[in-house]
């Protein structure tokens, strides 16, 4: 279908839709049913059965299965069945863990799926992109990714970058006019916007003409692989470490077997023991547990209002040493109200806060009648004319539809009785040059009732003053130079010192209008009318968040398009700018070379009047100084800096699709305090991973050493193979998972950021693993030897005591692992999952020891209750030794 050839009414007719009111929800639903969701087909997911089978491809599991087979062939059916059962349970556990990880990653993807603004039942609504249907009227602006194929109906300075489809990276100017011609190529279809392309400038409205696989994108890409690499550096390092551990475990196992055989142990027994030991000693579950810990952490982060788009960011978060944050909306509330107005030397204040259009205008302590204040009236009227926001009444409340800065101007005008309805009768907007953060201005061309044309520009006061040649002063046009220029500067300075965000308004009459007039022609030689200053209160929680970051060794830097004096005032209020801290503005940044910036970057806390391009320069300078940088952003032009930073953060509410796609973290509430919570969670996730690595590896070392010691001392096997497998499954598995859910230690935000080059085993973790593993092995062996020496004829009895000691020593150790210090630094009942994991392990152990049908499988016997004194005594020795060592160290230091 050549949609580009049709006029708008013809498209409307074919689509049975209408541009004014859009589709009804009922019609949209029925079309959704008929045509299916607006999605591109994805590669097929891995089938659950294959995922289950995957669990058995592991080399060690194959070894275990071979061992089962050999046991079966030798007639040891009970051993064979028990080993088989354990292999299966292991497989199921791995399967569920991977399933869970996959599901939460999928849920994440859906949460960050794009939304589209669509006209339904005559109202603009936000719906997920996959729910839009042909005939829907949609709205898009700079930064949006187009969600379907669209015939453009209205455009305002619209430019779209279509490289995803055409390979051409320069944006194309788009218009609504119909075009004729045979086979117009996609790149030349000026009145069409295609799925997957990017709006780089301006805005537009259009009707959806194709969705999902029927779009141009759907036709060229039958299969879109959107999977990003989700493996984190830590996971990669653990994979490598896994290989080393396998080799070491196999060598040690071989040593145990060889020594055992030399000492005259039964060959078959030693073979089984070797296999079981190897299985137990190899931390094959580690990567899966790490993934689960990461994805559970990510789920917790969603509850705290941040979405991780790229899993590796979770790790990097814990290393962040600088947060570069936007001001408006992130540090402040983005709820603007005009409080001060200045025009031609006169200053008014405005009462009333928020979007409720009730309030009055004052000069000093007296209210004024706006009708008598000509310049004020003109300033307010132009403020609402050069403006796209609306204040609407919904459920007895005034709510803003549009940009808060513009909303504040609308409310101020409404307080003077100047509403959209009133001006609609008097003025017609014929062209708009949208606001962008580089120009810091927006302009419109307006025609009044008498047909007179004029342009209005509103924007940052210093910028507008620069392009104004005159100023309205007491009703007369006067040259904007000398004294008047100084007066404007003073007015801006005074307003900004009160932390106000300021918008200046200027205008000029136009003789004629042609469609191709550029903003450069409009935005010059203007007449300056005045300034409206608005408050944007800081978010109350930010002050504490900045303080907490500081304690955690993280510097907060404000980067804003706002005026230097305003930025300084707010940064001081929020505790970002310390006494003596440096402030830089965009102009100085442009003049500085990259090296010059690097020299001062550590002393700068506020960057003001910057353009998005400056952000990249700042990120690079900080990184050069060795910082790990988190950088926020929302616009199209912020994307390069977001990408270049170590943790790119996009705003969930005000952020564009482009910024979100470039980011690794999205803030659902646009709030700075959420970044702090995410960093805290990032640190905690990493610490939790360290905790269960410490636990699992120490347990494995203990298991190998008890066997090795016994072989070297020519003792019988202290544990039978099936017991080793049981410990590996129950005592190692459950508590390790629970450690992944542990709460952060109190001082997690009092430590310096982690060095990203630091290995997992840094800060003495290797030593902790080896020393504890050694002690666990030793006490298990002692318990075995004591019991065996008392009952030399009853080997299973001594083996059961060794088994119980090993289990208990590990279960006590798990509480040590919760703290980098010692067991007494934390309340053991705080992590309720861990308490339950430990209780279940103990119950399962008691069942294995005392339940007769299981005794024959696990080669256990009921042990005398008195024996538990020995078991518990031995099992708690390692913890007491650790506490004792710490105590002595502390005393020595004192
Ligand atoms: P931040 O980067 O912290 O979000 P910001 O919102 O102040 O700061 P910009 O949006 O780039 O940064 O705005 C820069 C300046 O442009 C503002 O200080 C204001 O004077 C002016 N401005 C903002 N919004 C508009 C608008 N819609 N129309 C005209 N001028 C605007």
């Amino acid at each position: 279908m050549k949609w580009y050839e049709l006029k708008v009414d013809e498209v409307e007719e074919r689509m049975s839709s209408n541009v004014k009111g859009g589709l009804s929800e009922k019609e949209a639903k029925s079309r959704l049913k008929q045509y299916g969701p607006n999605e591109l087909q994805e590669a097929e997911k891995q089938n659950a059965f294959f995922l289950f089978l995957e669990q058995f491809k592991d080399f060690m599991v194959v070894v275990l299965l071979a061992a089962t087979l050999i046991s079966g062939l030798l007639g040891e059916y009970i051993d064979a069945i028990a080993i088989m059962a354990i292999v299966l349970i292991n497989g199921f556990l791995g399967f569920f863990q991977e399933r869970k990880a996959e599901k939460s990653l999928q849920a994440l993807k859906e949460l960050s799926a794009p939304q589209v603004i669509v006209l339904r039942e005559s109202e603009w609504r936000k719906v997920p992109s996959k729910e839009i249907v042909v005939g829907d009227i949609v709205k898009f602006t700079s930064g949006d990714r187009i969600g379907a194929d669209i015939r453009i109906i209205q455009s305002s300075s619209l430019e779209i970058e279509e490289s995803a489809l055409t390979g051409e990276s320069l944006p194309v100017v788009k218009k609504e006019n119909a075009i004729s011609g045979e086979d117009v190529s996609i790149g030349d279809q000026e009145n069409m916007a295609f799925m997957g392309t990017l709006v780089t400038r301006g805005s537009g409205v259009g009707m959806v003409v194709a969705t999902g696989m029927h779009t141009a994108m759907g036709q060229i890409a039958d299969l879109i692989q959107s999977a990003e690499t989700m493996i984190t550096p830590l996971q990669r390092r653990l994979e490598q470490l896994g290989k080393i551990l396998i080799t070491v475990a196999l060598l040690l196992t071989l040593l145990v077997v060889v020594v055992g055989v030399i000492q005259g142990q039964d060959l078959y027994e030693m073979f089984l023991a070797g296999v079981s030991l190897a299985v137990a000693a190899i931390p094959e579950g580690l990567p899966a547990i790490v993934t689960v810990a990461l994805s559970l952490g990510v789920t917790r982060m969603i509850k705290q209002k941040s979405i991780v788009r790229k899993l590796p960011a979770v790790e990097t978060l814990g290393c962040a040493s600088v947060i570069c944050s936007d001001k408006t909306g992130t540090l402040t509330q983005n709820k603007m109200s005009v409080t001060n107005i200045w025009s031609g030397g006169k200053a008014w204040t405005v009462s009333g806060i928020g979007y409720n259009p009730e309030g009055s205008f004052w000069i000093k302590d007296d209210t004024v009648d706006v009708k008598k204040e000509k310049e004020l009236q003109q300033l307010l009227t132009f403020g609402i004319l050069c403006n796209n926001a609306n204040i609407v009444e919904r459920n007895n409340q005034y709510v803003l539809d549009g940009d808060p800065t513009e909303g504040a101007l609308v409310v101020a005008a409404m307080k003077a009785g100047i509403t959209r309805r009133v001006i609609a009768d008097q003025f017609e907007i014929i062209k708009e040059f949208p606001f962008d953060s580089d120009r810091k201005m927006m302009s419109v061309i307006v025609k009044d009732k008498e047909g007179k044309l004029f342009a209005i520009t509103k924007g940052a006061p210093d910028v507008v003053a620069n392009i104004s040649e005159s100023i309205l002063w007491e009703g007369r046009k006067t040259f904007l130079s000398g004294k008047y220029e100084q007066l404007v500067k003073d007015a801006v300075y005074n307003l900004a010192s009160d932390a106000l965000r300021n918008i200046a308004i200027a205008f000029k009459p136009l003789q004629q209008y042609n469609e191709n007039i550029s903003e450069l022609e409009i935005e010059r030689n203007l007449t300056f009318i005045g300034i409206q200053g608005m408050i944007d209160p800081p978010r109350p929680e930010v002050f504490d968040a900045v303080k907490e970051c500081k304690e955690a060794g993280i510097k907060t830097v404000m980067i804003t398009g706002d005026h230097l004096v305003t930025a300084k005032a707010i940064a001081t209020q929020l505790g970002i700018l310390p006494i003596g801290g440096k402030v830089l503005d965009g102009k100085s940044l442009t003049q500085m070379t990259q090296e010059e910036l690097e020299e001062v970057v550590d002393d700068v806390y506020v960057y003001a009047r910057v353009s998005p391009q400056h952000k990249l320069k700042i990120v690079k300078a900080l990184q050069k100084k060795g910082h790990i940088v988190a950088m926020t952003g929302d616009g199209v032009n912020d994307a390069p800096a977001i990408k270049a930073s170590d943790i790119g953060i996009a705003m969930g509410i005000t952020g564009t699709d482009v910024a979100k796609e470039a980011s690794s973290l999205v803030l659902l509430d646009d709030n700075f305090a959420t970044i702090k919570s995410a960093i805290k969670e990032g640190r905690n996730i990493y610490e939790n991973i360290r905790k269960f690595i410490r636990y699992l590896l120490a347990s494995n070392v203990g298991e190998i050493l008890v066997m090795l010691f016994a072989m070297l001392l020519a003792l019988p096997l202290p544990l039978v193979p099936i017991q080793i497998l049981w410990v590996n499954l129950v005592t190692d598995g459950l508590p390790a998972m629970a450690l992944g859910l542990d709460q952060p230690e109190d001082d997690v935000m009092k430590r310096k950021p982690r060095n990203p080059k630091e290995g997992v085993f840094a800060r003495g973790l290797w030593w902790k693993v080896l020393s504890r593993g050694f002690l666990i092995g030793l006490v298990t062996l002692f318990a075995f030897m004591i019991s065996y020496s008392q009952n030399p004829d009853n080997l299973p009895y001594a083996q059961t005591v060794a088994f119980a000691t090993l289990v208990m020593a590990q279960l006590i150790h798990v509480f040590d692992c919760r703290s980098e210090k010692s067991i007494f630094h934390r309340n053991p009942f705080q992590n309720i999952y861990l308490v339950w994991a430990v209780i279940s392990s103990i119950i399962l152990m008691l069942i294995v020891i005392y339940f007769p049908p299981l005794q024959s499988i696990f080669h256990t016997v009921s042990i005398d209750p008195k024996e538990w004194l020995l078991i518990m005594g031995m099992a708690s020795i390692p913890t007491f030794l650790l506490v004792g060592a710490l105590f002595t160290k502390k005393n020595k230091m004192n």
Side-chain angles (χ1 to χ4, degrees):
M1 186 70 229
K2 294 174 180 164
W3 295 104
Y4 57 87
E5 276 187 341
L6 303 184
K7 298 220 175 65
V8 172
D9 50 349
E10 291 169 326
V11 183
E12 265 183 311
E13 199 180 315
R14 288 213 184 207
M15 283 293 162
S16 318
S17 176
N18 93 68
V19 173
K20 294 253 148 52
L23 297 174
S24 67
E25 284 295 347
K26 199 169 147 220
E27 179 59 26
K29 240 184 216 136
S30 104
R31 289 188 188 194
L32 190 62
K33 224 181 208 166
Q34 189 182 346
Y35 299 108
N38 174 35
E39 279 173 330
L40 295 181
Q41 227 166 298
E42 270 199 47
E44 238 176 76
K45 295 243 163 54
Q46 200 176 21
N47 164 309
F49 179 67
F50 283 111
L51 185 62
F52 180 61
L53 282 190
E54 281 260 301
Q55 310 302 319
F56 299 98
K57 72 169 203 281
D58 195 25
F59 170 68
M60 283 329 293
V61 178
V62 175
V63 173
L64 249 190
L65 288 175
T68 321
L69 192 71
I70 295 175
S71 314
L73 290 178
L74 292 175
E76 301 282 342
Y77 298 121
I78 293 186
D79 272 0
I81 292 169
I83 295 175
M84 197 66 203
I86 286 185
V87 172
L88 278 178
I89 296 174
N90 231 335
F92 268 113
L93 274 185
F95 167 70
F96 284 120
Q97 279 167 356
E98 275 193 28
R99 256 295 158 98
K100 178 147 185 49
E102 203 178 76
K103 278 220 177 103
S104 34
L105 291 180
Q106 184 60 30
L108 264 187
K109 233 168 110 191
E110 276 173 20
L111 259 175
S112 50
Q115 304 245 323
V116 175
I117 299 184
V118 31
L119 187 65
R120 297 252 175 98
E121 322 248 351
S122 304
E123 210 179 70
W124 289 107
R125 294 175 183 171
K126 227 179 196 180
V127 302
S129 171
K130 66 176 182 195
E131 286 173 21
I132 53 175
V133 293
V134 288
D136 263 334
I137 309 295
V138 293
K139 200 152 87 165
F140 37 88
T141 64
S142 157
D144 287 349
R145 199 173 273 286
I146 298 286
D149 284 0
I150 292 166
R151 167 70 167 85
I152 298 164
I153 300 167
Q154 254 176 47
S155 67
S156 152
S157 307
L158 182 61
E159 287 181 20
I160 296 187
E161 190 254 288
E162 298 180 325
S163 62
L165 269 181
T166 61
E168 171 58 56
S169 60
L170 277 183
V172 186
V173 177
K174 295 280 180 179
K175 300 248 163 65
E176 55 270 28
N177 313 347
I179 25 181
S180 55
E182 280 293 301
D183 289 331
V184 179
S185 71
I186 284 191
D188 293 331
Q189 295 183 20
E190 280 180 0
N191 55 13
M192 292 288 296
F194 297 99
M195 179 191 238
T197 59
L198 271 176
V199 185
T200 50
R201 186 155 187 262
S203 58
V205 174
M207 184 181 296
V208 175
V209 293
T211 59
M213 293 305 281
H214 304 291
T215 57
M217 183 66 102
Q219 269 147 39
I220 57 165
D222 284 337
L223 282 182
I224 296 279
Q225 293 276 24
S226 55
E228 292 213 28
T229 46
M230 281 306 223
I231 186 154
T232 75
L234 175 65
Q235 281 173 309
R236 200 167 302 129
R237 239 180 283 154
L238 282 179
E239 249 172 39
Q240 289 159 0
L241 177 82
K243 287 188 190 131
I244 301 173
L245 288 179
I246 288 183
T247 320
V248 175
L250 284 179
L251 285 177
L252 282 176
T253 308
L254 197 68
L255 186 66
V256 173
V257 175
V258 171
V259 175
V261 174
I262 295 173
Q263 303 278 21
Q265 300 275 357
D266 177 59
L267 196 62
Y268 168 69
E269 276 288 302
M270 281 320 294
F271 164 74
L272 264 196
V275 170
S276 320
L277 247 193
V279 171
I282 289 168
E284 75 284 352
L286 206 56
I289 303 186
V290 170
T291 312
V292 172
L294 282 169
S295 63
L296 286 175
V298 165
T299 318
R300 280 196 301 272
M301 284 163 83
I302 295 177
K303 288 203 189 109
Q304 295 160 6
K305 303 229 173 329
S306 50
I307 293 185
V308 175
R309 290 191 64 254
K310 295 172 190 152
L311 211 46
V314 179
E315 273 166 43
T316 326
L317 268 172
C319 307
S321 59
V322 177
I323 308 175
C324 295
S325 173
D326 283 346
K327 171 180 70 72
T328 311
T330 312
L331 297 169
T332 64
Q333 299 181 15
N334 208 5
K335 284 192 185 132
M336 321 263 179
S337 317
V338 173
T339 54
N340 293 65
I341 296 181
W342 181 92
S343 175
K346 259 171 131 178
W348 297 266
T349 52
V350 188
S351 63
I353 291 283
Y355 297 127
N356 190 344
E358 277 163 26
S360 40
F361 295 80
W362 303 67
I363 290 185
K364 297 224 169 87
D365 294 335
D366 301 314
T367 52
V368 295
D369 180 1
V370 183
K371 289 200 183 78
K372 292 186 187 146
E373 309 276 322
K374 270 260 163 305
E375 45 292 65
L376 177 60
Q377 227 179 351
Q378 191 175 22
L379 194 64
L380 293 170
T381 310
F382 284 9
I384 191 170
L385 270 173
C386 182
N387 193 317
N388 284 310
N390 241 325
I391 298 294
V392 285
E393 219 185 319
R394 219 173 274 154
N395 305 331
N396 289 331
Q397 264 195 335
Y398 291 95
V399 287
L400 164 73
D401 177 11
D403 171 47
T405 304
E406 300 197 337
L409 300 178
V410 175
V411 174
M414 286 166 87
K415 286 177 181 167
I418 305 166
T419 62
R420 282 227 175 269
R421 195 167 313 140
V422 171
I423 56 163
D425 294 339
Q426 300 170 15
F427 304 98
E428 185 196 347
I429 308 284
I430 38 184
K431 187 155 182 86
E432 178 191 324
F433 300 97
F435 172 77
D436 77 52
S437 306
D438 284 324
R439 276 164 45 243
K440 301 189 171 46
M441 286 185 286
M442 159 184 179
S443 300
V444 287
I445 298 178
V446 186
K447 198 191 303 182
D448 69 9
K449 265 202 304 204
E450 284 118 45
K452 273 196 247 155
L453 287 169
F454 59 98
I456 306 174
T457 297
K458 79 174 200 305
D462 34 339
V463 180
V464 175
N466 261 343
I467 52 164
S468 297
E469 59 171 13
S470 56
I471 181 167
L472 272 190
W473 202 271
E474 290 166 1
R476 294 225 320 267
K477 250 195 205 179
T478 312
F479 266 115
L480 182 56
S481 58
K483 169 183 141 194
Y484 294 102
E485 209 177 346
Q486 192 53 46
L487 285 168
V488 171
K489 274 192 186 143
D490 292 347
V492 174
Y493 183 86
N494 290 336
L495 290 168
S497 323
D498 287 339
L500 297 185
R501 176 181 174 82
N502 299 310
I503 299 282
I505 290 170
F507 81 111
K508 76 173 172 193
L510 288 180
Q511 304 314 328
Q512 59 195 24
Y513 167 73
N514 85 55
E515 210 190 306
N516 294 325
I517 195 161
S518 74
E519 63 207 23
L520 268 176
E521 289 169 73
I522 294 298
E523 291 167 351
R524 66 178 192 209
N525 305 341
L526 302 174
T527 302
F528 196 92
I529 310 178
I531 307 167
Q532 302 201 36
M534 48 191 85
I535 52 158
D536 177 15
R539 288 179 181 268
E541 59 280 24
V542 168
F543 184 82
D544 285 338
V546 169
K547 199 165 138 215
E548 222 177 299
C549 284
K550 203 188 226 164
E551 286 167 357
I554 306 165
K555 174 181 171 186
T556 306
V557 174
M558 176 195 275
I559 301 187
T560 175
D562 214 337
H563 195 274
L564 188 107
V565 179
T566 311
K568 242 169 119 172
I570 296 182
T572 311
Q573 276 176 23
L574 289 173
I576 292 175
L577 182 64
I579 299 167
K582 268 207 169 78
V583 178
L584 269 187
D585 67 1
K587 225 194 245 157
S588 335
L589 262 179
T590 311
Q591 287 161 359
M592 278 179 165
T593 62
Q594 192 67 34
E595 289 74 33
E596 282 168 340
L597 178 60
E598 278 159 27
E599 251 165 56
V600 292
V601 76
D602 274 327
D603 304 324
V604 182
Y605 291 81
V606 176
Y607 296 88
R609 273 286 184 262
V610 294
S611 300
Q613 299 82 285
H614 290 129
K615 287 186 168 179
L616 191 60
K617 200 167 174 181
I618 301 170
V619 168
K620 287 201 170 140
L622 283 166
Q623 285 175 331
K624 195 73 191 285
K625 297 291 275 187
H627 288 291
I628 301 296
V629 187
M631 166 68 87
T632 70
D634 47 16
V636 190
N637 303 343
D638 289 335
I642 294 182
K643 248 195 199 137
S645 65
D646 301 278
I647 306 149
I649 304 174
M651 300 299 143
I653 305 171
T654 56
T656 57
D657 292 346
V658 182
K660 287 182 194 163
E661 283 166 21
S663 70
S664 39
L665 192 78
V666 175
L667 305 181
L668 287 177
D669 58 357
D670 291 11
N671 190 343
F672 176 83
T674 306
I675 306 178
K676 181 222 70 191
S677 315
I679 289 182
K680 185 170 178 184
E681 195 56 67
R683 287 186 173 195
N684 186 36
I685 293 173
Y686 192 85
E687 288 307 310
N688 283 353
I689 291 175
R690 269 172 63 95
K691 289 176 197 169
F692 61 68
I693 288 179
R694 171 177 170 189
Y695 174 68
L696 274 181
L697 294 190
S699 302
N700 290 351
V701 171
E703 286 152 28
I704 294 192
L705 288 186
V706 66
M707 299 294 271
L708 185 62
F709 293 153
M711 295 303 103
L712 290 174
L713 295 175
L715 292 168
L717 284 180
L719 296 163
V720 294
I722 189 84
Q723 290 168 351
I724 299 177
L725 289 178
W726 188 94
V727 171
N728 183 45
L729 184 72
V730 181
T731 331
D732 289 0
L734 287 178
M737 295 282 279
L739 276 179
L741 292 168
D742 209 15
Q743 293 82 356
E745 279 196 82
D746 292 340
D747 63 351
V748 71
M749 286 300 268
K750 302 247 161 25
R751 304 177 196 153
K752 292 259 153 304
R754 195 179 79 241
N755 180 347
K757 293 202 188 90
E758 158 188 317
V760 200
F761 292 98
R763 289 177 271 143
L765 199 68
W766 262 128
W767 171 242
K768 282 183 181 140
V769 166
L770 291 178
S771 57
R772 179 50 76 101
F774 179 82
L775 285 176
I776 291 178
L778 211 60
V779 293
T780 308
L781 185 77
F782 281 160
F784 173 72
M785 283 165 67
I786 294 171
S787 175
Y788 190 52
S789 64
Q790 285 164 356
N791 275 309
D793 306 330
N794 198 348
L795 179 61
Y797 191 93
Q799 283 172 330
T800 310
V801 170
F803 169 67
T805 312
L806 179 66
V807 170
M808 289 318 299
Q810 293 193 3
L811 292 183
I812 294 173
H813 176 221
V814 77
F815 289 100
D816 275 330
C817 294
R818 291 188 63 221
S819 170
E820 294 276 335
K821 294 176 210 127
S822 84
I823 199 165
F824 298 114
H825 278 88
R826 306 207 65 185
N827 170 3
F829 298 103
Q830 190 187 21
N831 183 348
I832 200 69
Y833 305 105
L834 186 61
V835 173
W836 280 117
V838 168
I839 292 178
S840 337
S841 298
I842 293 177
I843 293 174
L844 288 170
M845 172 193 67
L846 292 177
I847 293 176
V848 166
I849 295 178
Y850 289 104
F851 185 52
L854 288 183
Q855 285 178 336
S856 52
I857 297 177
F858 286 92
H859 304 272
T860 48
V861 290
S862 302
I863 46 177
D864 191 338
K866 274 202 320 270
E867 215 67 65
W868 288 98
L869 274 178
L870 168 73
I871 293 170
M872 292 309 291
M874 282 296 168
S876 43
I877 287 177
T879 294
F880 282 121
L881 282 181
L882 172 76
V883 175
L886 284 172
F887 186 71
T888 336
K889 194 167 146 198
K890 205 166 159 194
N891 271 355
K892 259 193 203 150
M893 269 166 40
N894 288 342

